[in-house]
Amino acid sequence: MIPVQGVDAQTIAVLGLGRSGTATAAALAAGGAQVVAWDDGNDTRAAAETQGLRILDLTRDANWQGVSALIVSPGIPHLYPRAHPVIAKAYQLGIPVDNDIGLFFRSYATEDWDGFDRAPRVIAVTGSNGKSTTTALIHHVLEECGRPSQMGGNIGTGVLSLQPAIDGEVAVLELSSYQTDLARALTPDVAVFTNLSPDHLDRHGGLGGYFAAKRRLFAEGGPDRAVIGVDEPEGQYLAGQLAMGPADDRVIRISAGQKLDGAAWSVFARKGFLSEYRKGRQAASIDLREMRGLPGAHNHQNACAAYAACRAVGLAPREIEAAFHSFAGLPHRSQTVAEIGGVRYVNDSKATNVDAAAKALQAFPRIRWIAGGLGKEGGIAALAPHLGGVVKAYLIGHSARDFALELGQTPYEVAETMDQAVARAAAEAEPGDTVLLAPAAASFDQYPNFEKRGEDFVRLVEALPGS
């Protein structure tokens, strides 16, 4: 646990008592704060009370007496589509609102660091797609290269549940737009922006607000190095704002499809090869094509981002390349589950939006595509240019029939459930095919989250004959 600094003897309120909220309350208490807490759920409040938390109804004005700050869990809206009533009350009372990410950045560094040979560092990764894989890949490379490392944030461990840093350690954080939008302190040593595509628009008041939330990671604290994906206009804009000019190597531009050799420092992937350029000259090259944990152009972009971040903290190209080979990938993200009779089964349940599904569809040549669930605004019409490799689609869930209307000439059948979809795809698949779960939809019509959906796919695949 990382005790929160600067809160001794203060009364701090915590809103939201899930995993993040309870960890935050514990870290505040470890820092000497008097913690009061509230959650809208009766059962959640009762559970927190049994753990010794002091529950106060923060919807009542009288309970704000003496409160000096409100710490909010990331899932609770603080502005759009409307602020939660408790947060709105804090605004009215002039009480600062923060989250666990802000507390982490103001508390991670301690006096113990003065005795370290090498100061700990923080790499923070944000973006629309690929940030979990990029974060995990950076962490994997650091560990394989013998650098002490912890991973947390929006993946794995909550930031305040990480352990205090040791000499030379690197903390690798995945940060969502919900987390970067509200944090009052954002000071990573290396900040990574993977890409941008429309998502969470209601929460941020539109695409501009969504991008602004991501941009805060770079604008608030000014990282020593910024790794920026420049395959979208927003990334190009961000890189242009941060760099003082073409010779400024504090910005490392990355791309998953275009050659970048005009900037001081760039990393890009083309035709399966990663290249690093510095001052117009190639510094390194890595063949990504046989790395099974990193299939497809979207994972090659993740590899570029991770490579650049690891180079920024002093790792050598050949060290990074060796570590890439042993990366197995993350569950539910282009995860190869099995190969049965020459057919590959891939779980990309995390592909919950059109952009992520498009990247998955471009990663394999002959696809039997399992898609559907609770469709998002706009449906899947934007996937039309990426359906050339789809032999047949097997549609499940609430939006199955809506998706069918948008498939054009692509063969399909409405399978309704995952059981039927896997059974039908497996029965019809031929050697060389990939049975790909890339739903392009949320899971909430049939599953509590994308993880459970992916686990169901894995279970069904593992039960197939020959598995």
Side-chain angles (χ1 to χ4, degrees):
M1 179 194 301
I2 296 174
V4 177
Q5 298 183 38
V7 296
D8 187 38
Q10 295 183 30
T11 299
I12 309 292
V14 174
L15 176 64
L17 295 172
R19 178 176 67 100
S20 170
T22 53
T24 298
L28 285 163
Q34 302 298 314
V35 180
V36 298
W38 181 252
D39 190 284
D40 292 335
N42 293 330
D43 292 344
T44 306
R45 292 198 303 270
E49 210 160 15
T50 64
Q51 297 175 29
L53 275 175
R54 183 186 174 198
I55 303 298
L56 277 184
D57 185 352
L58 296 174
T59 64
R60 302 179 60 182
D61 289 0
N63 288 333
W64 287 90
Q65 188 68 35
V67 172
S68 57
L70 174 67
I71 311 302
V72 178
S73 293
I76 301 173
H78 60 271
L79 185 57
Y80 301 115
R82 64 188 60 82
H84 186 281
V86 170
I87 301 175
K89 179 63 67 177
Y91 293 157
Q92 293 167 10
L93 297 172
I95 292 173
V97 180
D98 204 348
N99 62 15
D100 61 337
I101 304 302
L103 297 180
F104 169 86
F105 277 111
R106 82 184 210 196
S107 304
Y108 190 53
T110 67
E111 293 180 355
D112 293 342
W113 291 22
D114 294 338
F116 291 166
D117 291 330
R118 183 162 50 179
R121 307 188 77 183
V122 177
I123 299 174
V125 181
T126 195
S128 295
N129 298 303
K131 56 185 179 292
S132 293
T133 296
T134 299
T135 302
L137 181 55
I138 294 168
H139 177 61
H140 173 80
V141 171
L142 289 165
E143 289 197 320
E144 289 292 299
C145 295
R147 290 285 293 272
S149 176
Q150 296 186 76
M151 179 175 70
N154 200 46
I155 183 174
T157 306
V159 289
L160 294 175
S161 295
L162 297 175
Q163 295 303 307
I166 63 174
D167 195 332
E169 188 167 56
V170 181
V172 189
L173 309 181
E174 177 192 338
L175 300 182
S176 72
S177 59
Y178 291 4
Q179 293 170 311
T180 58
D181 199 17
L182 190 60
R184 294 171 68 90
L186 286 167
T187 54
D189 298 284
V190 180
V192 179
F193 176 84
T194 59
N195 51 56
L196 194 85
S197 62
D199 209 356
H200 309 305
L201 300 189
D202 58 336
R203 177 65 182 266
H204 296 292
L207 184 60
Y210 176 54
F211 174 55
K214 301 287 189 186
R215 182 181 175 274
R216 291 191 77 246
L217 182 62
F218 303 84
E220 293 298 310
D224 295 336
R225 279 287 194 299
V227 177
I228 310 292
V230 294
D231 287 336
E232 294 87 28
E234 292 86 357
Q236 297 165 19
Y237 165 82
L238 182 58
Q241 278 211 318
L242 294 172
M244 295 300 292
D248 188 350
D249 68 358
R250 294 173 303 170
V251 176
I252 308 175
R253 291 167 171 82
I254 64 167
S255 171
Q258 55 181 313
K259 185 176 181 180
L260 304 173
D261 57 1
W265 198 349
S266 60
V267 179
F268 59 88
R270 295 180 71 198
K271 299 180 180 179
F273 286 87
L274 179 153
S275 297
E276 177 188 4
Y277 272 70
R278 301 193 71 168
K279 299 180 179 178
R281 305 179 73 175
Q282 187 168 3
S285 177
I286 297 175
D287 186 350
L288 300 172
R289 293 172 299 175
E290 299 304 317
M291 296 185 180
R292 294 186 63 79
L294 297 166
H298 61 305
N299 274 310
H300 294 174
Q301 183 186 55
N302 299 335
C304 288
Y307 177 94
C310 290
R311 292 286 284 134
V313 295
L315 297 183
R318 293 303 161 223
E319 291 182 291
I320 301 170
E321 180 179 8
F324 277 6
H325 279 285
S326 59
F327 181 67
L330 285 179
H332 318 301
R333 297 163 176 86
S334 294
Q335 173 195 11
T336 296
V337 175
E339 289 195 16
I340 306 170
V343 177
R344 185 176 183 178
Y345 292 81
V346 175
N347 167 24
D348 202 352
S349 184
K350 184 62 170 64
T352 58
N353 60 42
V354 164
D355 189 65
K359 290 179 169 60
L361 290 171
Q362 295 172 71
F364 308 100
R366 285 179 48 85
I367 297 171
R368 294 189 179 273
W369 178 34
I370 300 176
L374 192 60
K376 298 187 175 181
E377 184 177 352
I380 59 168
L383 289 176
H386 310 295
L387 299 178
V390 176
V391 178
K392 186 175 179 180
Y394 304 82
L395 304 176
I396 65 173
H398 177 271
S399 298
R401 287 169 175 78
D402 292 334
F403 280 18
L405 297 174
E406 299 181 273
L407 286 175
Q409 300 302 309
T410 301
Y412 72 88
E413 68 176 85
V414 175
E416 300 286 0
T417 66
M418 187 72 73
D419 299 59
Q420 295 179 43
V422 171
R424 292 291 297 148
E428 297 181 348
E430 301 174 357
D433 287 356
T434 296
V435 176
L436 170 68
L437 171 65
S443 61
F444 307 124
D445 57 333
Q446 295 178 319
Y447 301 94
N449 50 52
F450 73 84
E451 291 95 342
K452 292 297 182 185
R453 177 171 60 192
E455 289 167 8
D456 195 25
F457 175 79
V458 172
R459 174 185 66 82
L460 292 164
V461 170
E462 290 179 342
L464 291 171
S467 178

